[in-house]
Amino acid sequence: MASPLPVGDAYPYLRAANAGIRHHTRTLTLTPRTQPTASPADRVHLDVLHAHLTALHQLLDQLAESTRPRHPAAGRHLATAHTRLWQSAAAVHDAFHLLPVAEEPPTDTSCHPERLPEGPPVLTICQRHLAAGHVVRRKTTPSDLNAPLHGHTATCSQ
């Protein structure tokens, strides 16, 4: 018998993040992709998406570590999800660098991104990616990182 899911707002930050992603997805899908006015992904969108993926990556890492001692099979599945999420973040990071830099300068001339404490925005994604990469390489083998996604073998039970 499965335990009931928590009632109420037990995970407010995850709920807020999911609401933000749903809103962003709806906003992008309101304009049909076939229209020339539809904007493709840009570096800002990919940077925000990468930040979300790396935050989820950190959360999955913590969940896998805390679950594995009591429930090894579930912990292994969470560790696999952790690896797959890293692969997604790496693909978004690669796509970010393949997109052109915005051609139009910022309208605010007083903006100096090089003075931000975390560095220029174009480097923020790389710093975040490197930090997440250190965690991945400590806990995952290169063959696991390059392995294709295998089918889900566990049966779902209610």
Side-chain angles (χ1 to χ4, degrees), residues 27-116:
T27 302
L28 287 176
T29 56
L30 286 179
T31 307
R33 297 186 209 290
T34 57
Q35 289 183 359
T37 58
S39 61
D42 60 11
R43 285 180 151 210
V44 174
H45 287 109
L46 292 185
D47 183 35
V48 172
L49 180 60
H50 186 269
H52 190 76
L53 287 172
T54 53
L56 283 173
H57 181 259
Q58 183 180 15
L59 176 62
L60 268 175
D61 182 40
Q62 293 170 353
L63 288 173
E65 288 297 317
S66 64
T67 302
R68 190 172 293 145
R70 293 181 62 199
H71 306 285
R76 282 192 302 274
H77 280 287
L78 289 174
T80 300
H82 176 259
T83 301
R84 300 303 174 234
L85 197 54
W86 168 253
Q87 290 170 335
S88 298
V92 169
H93 177 256
D94 293 345
F96 174 88
H97 286 292
L98 292 174
L99 289 176
V101 178
E103 295 174 7
E104 49 194 54
T107 56
D108 183 12
T109 56
S110 65
C111 177
H112 296 283
E114 67 277 0
R115 295 183 189 162
L116 294 174

